Every structure is written in C-alpha cells, then in structure tokens.
Amino acid sequence: MKKFTMLISQAVPLSIEDVDTDQIIPARFLKEIRREECVKNIFMDWRYQEDGSLNKNFILNDSNFHGKIFLSGRNFGCGSSREHAVWGLFDYGFRVIISSFFADIFKENALNNGLLTIEVSKSFLKELFHAVENNPKTKIKVDLINQKVTMLKTGKFEKFYIHPYKKNCFINGYDDIDFLISIKNDVKIFEKNRIFF
C-alpha cells in the first residue's frame, strides 16, 4: 500500500442510499480477476444505457465532477462481499469514500486495499453534498493524522474514527503482511522470552 496521511481534493457526489456491491460491480463480472477490467465495470448498469451508450445523467459521466474523494449515501457497499468493488473504485482513482455508514465487509475490504472509508454524521454528510453539488470545485481536506474532514472554503470540519491499527497501516503504507514484517524483531524477542509451564 502507498502511504496516506492527508488528501485535498474535489469530490464526486452520489447521494443514493443502500448502494450494494452488485450495483458497484455487477455479478456477471465476478469471474474477472484482472483489476484493469474491474475498473471498466464499476457501476456498469448505471454508467451505460441498455443500448451501450453513456448515461449522461449518471454522476461518473458528468465532467463537472471529478476528484479522489467519493461522497456516498448511507449504507454504501451493502450486499455480498466482493473485493472487485473496492478494486474498481480504487483503480478508478478514488482514495477516500465518505458516508454516514458503510457495510462492515465492504469497509474492511476497502481498508485492506488502501481505500480509506470515513464515516461522518448525517448532518455533516448533508452539508458536504450540498457544498459539492452546488459547486463542483469545492475542495475537501482529509487529515488522517488528526482524523478530520474539513470543507476548506468554510473551515467547517468533523472528526472521524479509525481503528488505530488501520490508521498505522495507512500512515506507514503497510498491508497486514508488511505490518507483521515491521514487528518481526518484537516477535522474536517475545518468543525468546516466553515461559513454558
């Protein structure tokens, strides 16, 4: 994983609630294991019309909105577990997803793959949507060290929670294996000093 401490970016707003993993990556694409194909298939049934033409009303097809932050309605990533959904979103360019609630399995998959999921209050999420939808150039600052999301224009912010282990992994660019390697000497010392009864 790449190190992550801070991000300032515009955002892409999708204010729909209960977006499940089948909408993010339709089940018919789950046999595909190449990540470059996953990114092509994210939101496939929303990005394109039945005739294969672009759905101009879908947010990812609106050139006014872009950035590394994805705003989503409550309960994003519900439904079945599929890492393909995270791969697609990450490879599309998103580094942070902000919502008021995430499905547990999706959240863990995202954090394990370097995609930071941030839960904020419903009221603050509503303010973020309002700001971005009214001005697509709105910049949002994500400060992982201090665990804060800030709207730069107004200075309004909200703190968020992240498990200390996951925070450590993001800051240092560790996946689970990298973390174990980083404490290898501590493990050796622990093993050496164990007392067997």
Side-chain angles (χ1 to χ4, degrees):
M1 282 179 23
K2 290 184 178 179
K3 293 181 180 181
F4 183 109
T5 55
M6 186 180 295
L7 174 66
I8 296 174
S9 176
Q10 293 171 220
V12 177
L14 182 67
S15 58
I16 301 170
E17 295 190 347
D18 303 314
V19 174
D20 67 39
T21 51
D22 194 53
Q23 290 158 331
I24 302 169
I25 288 284
R28 64 186 180 275
F29 300 119
L30 289 185
K31 290 183 180 178
E32 182 57 68
I33 58 171
R34 292 172 297 173
R35 288 183 61 146
E36 62 270 19
E37 292 301 316
C38 291
V39 69
K40 291 178 186 176
N41 297 326
I42 64 165
F43 295 112
M44 177 63 81
D45 295 336
W46 289 357
R47 287 167 65 197
Y48 297 94
Q49 307 279 12
E50 288 185 11
D51 63 4
S53 62
L54 277 180
N55 174 7
K56 295 179 182 178
N57 295 319
F58 185 59
I59 198 69
L60 291 188
N61 297 330
D62 187 336
S63 60
N64 292 310
F65 296 98
H66 55 86
K68 296 183 177 183
I69 298 173
F70 188 80
L71 298 179
S72 102
R74 186 181 185 281
N75 200 26
F76 187 79
C78 57
S80 63
S81 168
R82 57 187 71 171
E83 214 161 7
H84 297 65
V86 172
W87 293 346
L89 291 164
F90 186 89
D91 291 348
Y92 192 84
F94 296 116
R95 293 297 172 265
V96 174
I97 303 181
I98 301 174
S99 182
S100 58
F101 180 78
F102 291 96
D104 289 340
I105 295 174
F106 175 85
K107 183 176 182 177
E108 286 304 308
N109 281 339
L111 293 173
N112 287 339
N113 283 277
L115 182 59
L116 183 61
T117 50
I118 295 176
E119 292 185 7
V120 296
S121 67
K122 290 180 182 178
S123 58
F124 190 65
L125 183 63
K126 187 175 180 181
E127 289 184 55
L128 288 172
F129 271 116
H130 180 76
V132 172
E133 289 170 348
N134 284 291
N135 179 10
K137 293 184 178 179
T138 296
K139 294 280 184 75
I140 298 170
K141 178 180 177 181
V142 174
D143 179 353
L144 180 58
I145 303 293
N146 296 298
Q147 297 175 216
K148 286 169 60 175
V149 175
T150 305
M151 289 185 279
L152 289 184
K153 186 175 181 180
T154 64
K156 186 152 188 187
F157 70 88
E158 187 167 291
K159 290 255 190 180
F160 63 89
Y161 174 79
I162 181 169
H163 191 283
Y165 169 70
K166 290 299 182 186
K167 181 177 180 178
N168 180 41
C169 287
F170 270 81
I171 290 171
N172 291 289
Y174 294 156
D175 61 19
D176 291 336
I177 302 300
D178 293 324
F179 174 76
L180 288 173
I181 292 170
S182 77
I183 61 169
K184 181 171 64 175
N185 289 335
D186 294 334
V187 173
K188 285 180 178 178
I189 292 168
F190 173 79
E191 283 295 314
K192 186 178 179 181
N193 295 318
R194 282 182 72 188
I195 298 173
F196 293 94
F197 296 98

